[in-house]
Amino acid sequence: MTVLRWLDRPAEQGVTWGVPWPRGEVRPGTPFALADPAGGQVPVQSWVTATWPEGSVKWSAHAVGPQASPAGTYELRPGGMPAAPARPVAVAREGGVLRVGTGAVTWTIEEGGDTLARSVTVPAEGGEREIVRDVRLVSLHQDRPTSDEDGSLTRERATGRVTRVTVEQDGPVRAVVRLDGDHGDGQRGDGQRDDGRRDEGRGDDGRRARLPFTVRLYFYAGAADVRVVHSFVWDGDPRRDFLAGLGLRADVVMRDEPHDRHVRLAGPDGGFLTEAVRGLTGLRRDPGEEVRRAQVEGRPCGPIGNPEVARRLHLIPTWSDYTLDQTSADGFVLRKRTAEGHAWVTIPAGTRSAGYGYVGGVSGGLGFGLRDFWRLHPTRLDVRGAATGLATATVWLYSPSAPAMDLRFWHDGMGQDTFAEQLEGLEITYEDYEPGFGDAHGVARTHELTLRVHDATPPSADLAAHAAAMNEPALLTAPPERLRAAGVFGDWDLPDRSTPARAAIEDRLDFLFDLYVREREQRRWYGFWDYGDVMHTYDADRHTWRYDVGGYAWDNSELSPDLWLWYQFLRTGRADVFRFAEAMTRHTGEVDVYHLGRWKGLGSRHNVQHWGCSCKQLRISNAAYRRFFYYLTADERTGDLLDELAAPEETFLVIDPTRKVRRDVYTPDPSALSVGLGADWGALAAAWLTRWERHGDERARDRLLGTMAGIGALPHGFLTGEARLDLATGRLDTSRDAVEISHLSAVFGLPEMCSELIALALDVPGFERAWLDYCRLYLAPAAEQEAEVGHALRGVSLVQAHSRLAAYAAARDGDPGRAAVLAARAWRRFFVDEDDQLNRNPLQREPDWRLTRVAGPHVLAPVAEAAYVSTNDAAQYGLAAIQNLALIGDHLPEE
């Protein structure tokens, strides 16, 4: 039995979550029952998302519909029979049309065409009443960037067309419908790019399939709201394709008198612009207090008792069009007009809109919104035609008011045409440039929206609750103690402040997370492509992050901030940590990774632009960074990203990650692919293990076990540095007899994956020994290294991060004396900055962690700074602290 609690607060909405189970505890096919604290049975739908090697359930996923009075906790019991919902989700398919009913609404979905849904109805006397029709995707395109001086610029409009509809779940509590398609219509010659590469997504006739998308619609039993998850891939040519708008649009049937029609647009802090299409407040003649109150509250006005008003209704303007435009993270503007062809009237503006709106009347309407609306600016909400028989609501994921999206590379290359010149550039700006590699073709973005059909205009308090639920979706979680007991995700433990030394480390972990949150806010790390990422390194002279300096700008998962945030959530259960990690996972898995084109499956190293670096590697598209969110939420889109890595080894055919620094002659060869045994193999192992535990994929299992055995058979194991992989057999050539280490090998998930694999007891000869040798020797004294491998290791760096390797070796060593020596070494290297051959760690050199307020004419705005912290140093401190405490906390010195 598992007790579940809410991440934030109880919520009256459908919820999906994941739960881990200790190995062997839950057999395949076991049903699950859910009960509230009083023993009342709650209808639940369950499925398995991962299994242990012998087949028992490792992670299960569960869904419940909205509860009128949700309990504070629930009990999930394996083996119990689930209760059935009173109004189950029903999915019916007939004649190319899909109908999904929740009991509260019915969506009619055509299996192809230009809509996501043709009609949305609610139950009514004698049948169904249509509230919404033609839910669709829209986009705007330009062939050159927006220019203030260019008055001849035209925009091409396109509508998303659905080419495939898949029912992924069909109830009884939860149904998921996936729609795939694109915004194609444009013609571009023969389908060739200017550089001779053929655009993936263009047909043989040269037609560009612009912006391929996947939309998932989530239905819950008894729910009137439908969650919409929209993912698209940028497949344009950045030199001539400029996205000027991208949105979700729906038509709303308007049946009521204009004064009984309402528009609501969210501001900050639960407030709404509260308008009627024909306003009866503020007039020279008073319609009566009850009429005015009814209109403001969204209730029927009833007969207008004052004849002075009633006979002049036709002289009161009707306001048909409304726009809320969130141009930045700091402000939105509002405007309305009576009709197209007439001037806009400005409405008082605000700061950060909750991104939710409503249009309709007393006989029904539509609530619509975008999660993280202001954080993902430029965004916009539009209402058009509210005074007509068919209003239109549009949620703009990219506002057409903003300059068109310009994804061209940010500089001209500065003559860096050879590897030698590019390495020189790396020495000065830390940017790894290569002509043609700073290409956004193939990156993606995911947005979460909601559409909620109403049979009457809801009270403002309800709308505020709906907006809050959209922005902080409800989630049930197992408490940290229960997650830890399940034995998932390797080495971590719960916070422990029982000694001053332990409390000091916990305080610093909190300090670093708070720094992430503070910097995101005061530096405004928000925007369509940027939200979720953090900057890499600080510029203490300018008192800002190095947003414009080559490889020091956006972090792109460098040194695994994703991992430390997720481990910090696992051990604390903190909602704020979860939300930050969730946003990072959404960003790094979509924007920093290629989803089509020549680099599909690879990610880009840190740069001024998220796709700017020529270092395209599997360490950034790393499945290890996505697994946490997928298993905790059962999020299907994250599952897609993991599925993109079904055969990750094939990416090594595309590009050699070390091509610029090789001293040997090498061309990618399917029978002898060069694979680094650190960041490369760690990412491969994460993808293979995840594929095996999610899908039972025997190919992935065999490659994982085969390469583990190969590493164990190498004369120097992980210390060998790299090995050659035969793509056909999935086996490593074990003949290489060399020692070559990299300070980056163990900072992209390798320790975490090796810990998990060893804990699985997979009986792979030599693998554990090979990993323990690496962990023991990396920070060992030079004499000990020389005695074992013939020379001292060269390139030892990031010693604080690598202290967790010595900690792991100590925890696994059966000899108490040796273990104590290793543990002491691990803690010393965690605290003391010494013997680092490449980098000095400011977190170790700075004795007093503190914030300093900086203000004055030399800074853009006053800031609180910790100039000695880089975000990736913070991530490595976090990971080392968490794992050292879990492994050798009993050896932590008090001084």
Side-chain angles (χ1 to χ4, degrees):
M1 183 270 289
T2 295
V3 175
L4 304 169
R5 61 174 176 80
W6 295 96
L7 176 66
D8 298 289
R9 65 191 67 85
E12 298 177 16
Q13 63 182 136
V15 182
T16 300
W17 73 97
V19 177
W21 301 94
R23 190 170 184 171
E25 183 171 304
V26 179
R27 304 308 305 169
T30 300
F32 293 87
L34 188 71
D36 62 27
Q41 296 299 298
V42 179
V44 63
Q45 181 173 318
S46 304
W47 61 101
V48 174
T49 52
T51 58
W52 293 98
E54 85 292 347
S56 65
V57 176
K58 185 176 185 180
W59 283 89
S60 59
H62 310 273
V64 296
Q67 308 295 307
S69 299
T73 61
Y74 293 92
E75 292 183 356
L76 182 68
R77 293 184 179 275
M81 293 306 297
R87 296 188 294 175
V89 175
V91 180
R93 204 171 211 151
E94 184 178 355
V97 174
L98 196 68
R99 287 186 174 84
V100 184
T102 68
V105 294
T106 298
W107 282 51
T108 300
I109 301 167
E110 296 178 344
E111 299 196 58
D114 59 2
T115 67
L116 303 178
R118 183 59 71 188
S119 178
V120 184
T121 61
V122 297
E125 187 176 349
E128 298 281 320
R129 182 167 77 251
E130 185 181 44
I131 303 294
V132 173
R133 64 179 64 153
D134 294 347
V135 181
R136 58 203 184 272
L137 298 174
V138 294
S139 57
L140 300 171
H141 305 260
Q142 299 173 187
D143 61 5
R144 57 189 184 278
T146 303
S147 170
D148 293 338
E149 292 80 29
D150 189 351
S152 63
L153 190 66
T154 59
R155 288 178 167 178
E156 171 194 335
R157 292 175 173 81
T159 301
R161 55 178 188 177
V162 175
T163 56
R164 183 175 63 220
V165 176
T166 306
V167 178
E168 295 184 326
Q169 288 192 334
D170 59 0
V173 173
R174 179 187 194 249
V176 182
V177 178
R178 171 176 172 160
L179 303 99
D180 294 283
D182 58 57
H183 291 250
D185 279 330
Q187 292 286 334
R188 288 292 172 82
D190 62 358
Q192 298 288 332
R193 293 168 62 110
D194 292 342
D195 59 9
R197 287 190 284 121
R198 187 168 190 84
D199 269 343
E200 185 171 327
R202 288 188 191 174
D204 294 336
D205 61 357
R207 181 187 58 75
R208 177 185 297 283
R210 290 180 174 170
L211 311 184
F213 64 79
T214 295
V215 170
R216 282 186 171 90
L217 305 175
Y218 290 85
F219 303 87
Y220 288 89
D225 63 307
V226 172
R227 180 169 174 252
V228 182
V229 177
H230 171 276
S231 305
F232 84 101
V233 180
W234 173 253
D235 67 337
D237 183 334
R239 293 162 295 186
R240 55 185 181 178
D241 287 313
F242 299 87
L243 184 63
L246 179 65
L248 175 73
R249 177 171 290 169
D251 295 334
V252 183
V253 179
M254 306 292 279
R255 297 179 174 88
D256 303 299
E257 290 294 325
H259 52 267
D260 278 335
R261 300 181 183 188
H262 310 109
V263 174
R264 306 286 189 261
L265 294 173
D269 304 321
F272 276 81
L273 174 73
T274 302
E275 298 263 320
V277 171
R278 181 165 63 200
L280 299 180
T281 65
L283 299 174
R284 188 175 185 184
R285 302 291 182 238
D286 185 7
E289 181 181 356
E290 177 55 33
V291 171
R292 287 185 279 109
R293 183 183 298 114
Q295 187 176 69
V296 170
E297 293 177 357
R299 296 183 285 108
C301 290
I304 309 299
N306 186 343
E308 295 294 314
V309 177
R311 65 188 177 87
R312 294 187 175 100
L313 288 177
H314 66 288
L315 297 176
I316 302 173
T318 54
W319 297 94
S320 203
D321 300 345
Y322 290 77
T323 285
L324 187 155
D325 207 348
Q326 186 81 48
T327 55
S328 75
D330 294 312
F332 62 83
V333 295
L334 280 161
R335 56 186 182 270
K336 67 180 182 179
R337 67 183 178 184
T338 56
E340 186 175 1
H342 297 279
W344 289 95
V345 173
T346 301
I347 305 171
T351 53
R352 292 172 167 177
S353 168
Y356 197 78
Y358 170 84
V359 60
V362 297
S363 62
L366 176 68
F368 52 92
L370 171 65
R371 186 184 181 192
D372 292 322
F373 182 77
W374 62 266
R375 296 179 179 90
L376 291 166
H377 68 83
T379 48
R380 197 168 101 178
L381 299 179
D382 282 350
V383 172
R384 298 289 184 267
T388 70
L390 198 65
T392 298
T394 306
V395 181
W396 289 103
L397 316 181
Y398 190 87
S399 171
S401 306
M405 193 182 290
D406 190 343
L407 303 185
R408 293 173 295 180
F409 190 64
W410 65 284
H411 66 70
D412 65 3
M414 298 174 287
Q416 299 177 72
D417 297 325
T418 67
F419 285 174
E421 291 166 332
Q422 292 155 26
L423 291 173
E424 283 295 297
L426 188 70
E427 288 298 314
I428 189 65
T429 66
Y430 203 31
E431 180 181 37
D432 189 356
Y433 171 80
E434 192 169 337
F437 276 64
D439 191 349
H441 184 90
V443 303
R445 198 45 155 151
T446 287
H447 294 80
E448 300 173 57
L449 307 95
T450 187
L451 297 176
R452 183 187 291 261
V453 170
H454 298 272
D455 59 6
T457 298
S460 294
D462 289 357
L463 290 173
H466 299 162
M470 174 189 72
N471 280 301
E472 292 189 347
L475 183 69
L476 285 165
T477 67
E481 297 83 356
R482 174 62 179 75
L483 296 172
R484 181 70 188 88
V488 293
F489 296 130
D491 303 311
W492 58 277
D493 210 340
L494 307 182
D496 179 354
R497 296 179 176 272
S498 61
T499 69
R502 284 179 175 272
I505 292 177
E506 295 296 341
D507 288 344
R508 291 196 163 189
L509 288 170
D510 290 344
F511 177 93
L512 292 175
F513 175 70
D514 291 344
L515 178 108
Y516 270 44
V517 174
R518 182 184 305 106
E519 289 302 303
R520 179 172 70 183
E521 173 59 18
Q522 68 182 5
R523 311 294 179 169
R524 300 301 191 267
W525 291 341
Y526 303 116
F528 185 95
W529 292 112
D530 299 335
Y531 176 58
D533 207 352
V534 295
M535 284 279 169
H536 185 289
T537 303
Y538 198 71
D539 185 336
D541 296 308
R542 289 189 292 170
H543 301 287
T544 189
W545 293 80
R546 302 182 199 179
Y547 66 92
D548 57 350
V549 183
Y552 289 116
W554 290 114
D555 191 69
N556 287 34
S557 296
E558 184 69 3
L559 306 196
S560 306
D562 319 57
L563 287 182
W564 104 257
L565 290 170
W566 281 119
Y567 279 110
Q568 186 68 349
F569 168 71
L570 291 179
R571 62 198 300 271
T572 65
R574 286 173 51 178
D576 55 348
V577 178
F578 180 94
R579 298 299 185 194
F580 203 106
E582 175 188 19
M584 181 172 285
T585 298
R586 281 282 188 226
H587 170 92
T588 58
E590 302 278 4
V591 180
D592 299 344
V593 174
Y594 290 95
H595 307 271
L596 56 74
R598 57 175 170 166
W599 297 313
K600 181 178 180 180
L602 297 172
S604 296
R605 172 182 170 270
H606 39 98
N607 192 266
V608 170
Q609 290 173 308
H610 299 285
W611 46 82
C613 186
S614 72
C615 179
K616 312 297 186 186
Q617 290 193 0
L618 203 62
R619 77 187 202 197
I620 299 108
S621 57
N622 202 332
Y625 300 153
R626 326 288 171 230
R627 298 167 74 232
F628 299 86
F629 184 62
Y630 173 74
Y631 288 132
L632 290 166
T633 67
D635 178 69
E636 279 84 359
R637 174 57 184 172
T638 307
D640 293 345
L641 303 183
L642 293 170
D643 286 340
E644 288 178 2
L645 298 171
E649 65 276 17
E650 294 177 2
T651 62
F652 289 89
L653 286 170
V654 177
I655 192 170
D656 173 20
T658 59
R659 63 195 179 281
K660 296 185 183 182
V661 295
R662 277 199 175 277
R663 294 187 293 271
D664 59 347
V665 177
Y666 170 76
T667 300
D669 178 351
S671 64
L673 284 174
S674 176
V675 173
L677 299 181
D680 289 346
W681 186 82
L684 287 170
W688 287 329
L689 174 62
T690 306
R691 185 80 184 171
W692 178 20
E693 63 187 11
R694 287 184 64 215
H695 300 296
D697 189 322
E698 295 183 0
R699 178 183 180 277
R701 178 203 62 192
D702 292 347
R703 287 175 182 249
L704 174 64
L705 299 181
T707 54
M708 288 173 66
I711 292 170
L714 283 164
H716 298 289
F718 280 99
L719 293 164
T720 309
E722 74 170 40
R724 299 297 168 92
L725 174 69
D726 187 328
L727 203 58
T729 65
R731 298 295 185 268
L732 294 174
D733 179 349
T734 60
S735 64
R736 189 168 192 251
D737 187 0
V739 174
E740 184 177 339
I741 67 164
S742 167
H743 66 294
L744 296 179
S745 291
V747 291
F748 289 90
L750 180 66
E752 293 73 21
M753 293 313 305
C754 287
S755 173
E756 281 201 56
L757 292 170
I758 290 170
L760 288 175
L762 298 172
D763 192 26
V764 179
F767 180 79
E768 182 175 0
R769 175 197 54 77
W771 179 238
L772 288 175
D773 285 348
Y774 189 87
C775 292
R776 180 173 51 83
L777 289 174
Y778 186 91
L779 293 180
E784 185 177 335
Q785 295 171 347
E786 186 173 352
E788 296 223 19
V789 301
H791 59 80
L793 298 180
R794 293 178 289 274
V796 171
S797 187
L798 302 176
V799 296
Q800 185 179 65
H802 284 83
S803 68
R804 67 191 194 269
L805 303 191
Y808 186 82
R812 301 289 293 187
D813 197 312
D815 183 285
R818 287 196 306 264
V821 170
L822 286 166
R825 179 183 301 161
W827 281 121
R828 177 168 179 80
R829 295 306 179 88
F830 177 79
F831 286 115
V832 180
D833 183 18
E834 63 182 13
D835 299 331
D836 194 311
Q837 300 173 18
L838 300 176
N839 299 288
R840 303 300 301 279
N841 189 335
L843 289 181
Q844 292 174 300
R845 297 198 308 272
E846 183 67 32
D848 181 20
W849 289 20
R850 65 196 183 283
L851 295 174
T852 302
R853 179 175 169 79
V854 179
H858 58 295
V859 294
L860 183 63
V863 294
E865 71 174 16
Y868 52 90
V869 180
S870 75
T871 55
N872 46 70
D873 284 339
Q876 285 305 298
Y877 178 96
L879 283 169
I882 289 169
Q883 291 170 32
N884 289 355
L885 287 170
L887 293 163
I888 55 169
D890 292 344
H891 295 269
L892 175 63
E894 281 302 314
E895 295 184 3

